[in-house]
Amino acid sequence: MRVDFAPLDGITKAVFRQVWDRFFGGVDRYFIPFFSPTDQHILTDRDRHELTGSMDLPCVPQVMTCRAADFLWAVERLADLGFSEANLNLGCPSGTVTAKGKGSGFLARPDDLDRFFDEVFSKTRLPVSVKTRLGYQEAGEFPRLLEIFNRYPIQCLTIHPRIRAEKYRGEIHMDCFALAMESSRNPVCCNGDLQTVEDVRRLEARFPSLEAVMIGRGAIADPALPRKLQGGPAATRKELQAFAAALYQGYQEFYGQAHPASQRMKEIWFYLIHLFENGERLGGRLRCSRGPKAYELLETEIFQTLPLRDHAEGDLF
Ligand SMILES: Cc1cc2nc3c(=O)[nH]c(=O)nc-3n(C[C@H](O)[C@H](O)[C@H](O)COP(=O)(O)O)c2cc1C
């Protein structure tokens, strides 16, 4: 079974993908956080940089739009850049995105989605995969959506089994996911709340025909999780320390200054702190800290004082 790294906008940037892969790896593919095609069909320098910043790794770029012409334009650019698959974002729950009918907002208009796919799949130069939720308002929308997905040769249907209002928290709807496993004509990938090797093994045992799992926050909290899934060892303190230092260095080079680099590192630590015992107090102080110096001191304190666990625990999701 394949293991995909989930796209986490603002977190799994090119710098992160490079450093993470060098230290841990164990995933088959990295999904690049979404980019939205502009009306003028111009690939901005920023988007191009993010898209091409880790071409030596197996990456799948993600596009967020509800217009077939824009998606097809993006596919052409992605093919020119050397990618071999394009992923459509049907999951983003953000209000600014859904208000424009994109991300999970597109799920509220199944007939339009059907027409979108009809045009995209008749013209696309690359295989197209989809990352979706169960519905916009309620999980009851899913059977109709699945019927639509089943009409098209979707490379892989990655399902985050929640509706838009649930964002990334609360119980996931495994009953709906089971329906997808029974009825999907396309290969299915399961995404959501996978935190330990046991979580993944349980899922595999229940759904032996699962094509892939996609892991996001669980692999930030425990960077060795995908490696452990391949039979590799847990992360050591020394390794984590070197990883954090290399990532901080990479961000400083990217931004040309320490302040935004320390902000990025704090986002990583929001998850990574769960790999340490009794991390609540220092994790809280790190979140509230200001400036690179405070971040650096607190990170040193975490590594010097907190016992390391062999898997992430606590309220991660
Ligand atoms: C900060 C953040 C940024 C995200 N950015 C994206 C994105 O760009 N594209 C996308 O499809 N999903 C995005 N997601 C959703 C994740 O890819 C994933 O579906 C979600 O975190 C659930 O998986 P997990 O429990 O393994 O983390 C984002 C989630 C978070 C928390």
Side-chain angles (χ1 to χ4, degrees), residues 288-307:
C288 302
S289 68
R290 293 196 174 188
K293 204 78 234 147
Y295 153 73
E296 288 162 23
L297 287 171
L298 282 161
E299 187 183 274
T300 304
E301 196 176 339
I302 292 170
F303 278 124
Q304 280 178 356
T305 62
L306 299 185

Side-chain angles (χ1 to χ4, degrees), residues 1 161 171-182 190 194 198-211 213:
M1 192 188 57
E171 205 53 26
I172 56 180
H173 304 269
M174 277 324 269
D175 49 337
C176 293
F177 184 77
L179 172 76
M181 287 306 297
E182 266 167 41
C190 185
L194 296 169
E198 288 66 40
D199 290 343
V200 177
R201 296 284 175 254
R202 247 195 315 274
L203 196 68
E204 260 181 319
R206 179 163 174 197
F207 303 112
S209 62
L210 198 60
E211 168 95 352
V213 287

Side-chain angles (χ1 to χ4, degrees), residues 67-106:
R67 288 169 44 181
D70 292 356
F71 190 85
L72 288 164
W73 168 81
V75 165
E76 289 299 316
R77 299 293 73 71
L78 295 171
D80 291 345
L81 290 172
F83 290 104
S84 54
E85 177 179 329
N87 183 260
L88 173 69
N89 180 319
L90 289 180
C92 183
S94 148
T96 48
V97 164
T98 57
K100 295 178 195 147
K102 300 194 282 189
S104 61
F106 206 177

